Structure formats: C-alpha cells, structure tokens
Amino acid sequence: MEVDVLATLIDPRSYILIPVLYIIWLILRQTPRLEPWTHAWIIMGISIISCFLYYGFIIHSFVEGVLVAGVTILVKDLIHVRINLNGKK
C-alpha cells in the first residue's frame, strides 16, 4: 500500500494520534504485568475512544480509530525492524 493511498484514508487531523499512541506503546512495553499481546488491543482502544471524542459517535470515528492504531503499530514495527537491522551490521 502506498503512502498516498494511506493519506487519503486517514483524516489529517488524526495524524497527531500516531506519535502519541507510539509513546503510549513505549510506556506499555515497560509495564511488567501486561502481556505483550495486549499492547495492540490497548492502543486500539485508546485510539478508538480518542476518535469518538474528537469526531463524535459515528462509524467514521470507529474506522478512523482502527486505521490510526494500525498505522501506529505498523510504524512501530518498521522502526524496530530498522533498529535491529542497523544493530546487526
């Protein structure tokens, strides 16, 4: 999927959530009592609730929240793969 297609799917006003959710994910990673598989669900919940509060209780808010959470997790994976590749060289 190209970045242009992704940019047409996500409202530009929601871009600010991506780094915020990434920072929350970094904090969740340091929490010892949470299993790693729960991090994505927590991020998605926070994202959906944030979009509901911002856009109102419409289906667009739910879809926007899921898309923003997906992009956040994708960016997180890309960053960590890139860091691991640089560390091996």
Side-chain angles (χ1 to χ4, degrees), residues 3-88:
V3 176
D4 296 336
V5 174
L6 195 59
T8 60
L9 293 175
I10 298 177
D11 189 354
R13 296 178 291 179
S14 299
Y15 289 163
I16 190 64
L17 278 176
I18 296 170
V20 170
L21 291 171
Y22 180 75
I23 292 169
I24 292 171
W25 180 84
L26 290 174
I27 294 169
L28 287 173
R29 189 174 72 164
Q30 301 299 319
T31 307
R33 294 190 178 141
L34 287 177
E35 296 291 328
W37 64 268
T38 61
H39 299 170
W41 290 104
I42 293 170
I43 292 296
M44 187 177 304
I46 293 170
S47 176
I48 291 171
I49 290 170
S50 298
C51 287
F52 275 145
L53 292 173
Y54 189 74
Y55 296 111
F57 290 98
I58 55 176
I59 192 67
H60 171 76
S61 302
F62 178 79
V63 173
E64 193 77 21
V66 170
L67 288 173
V68 169
V71 168
T72 302
I73 293 168
L74 177 67
V75 166
K76 185 255 322 169
D77 288 342
L78 290 173
I79 289 171
H80 289 272
V81 165
R82 184 65 178 166
I83 289 171
N84 288 339
L85 286 177
N86 285 342
K88 291 181 181 178

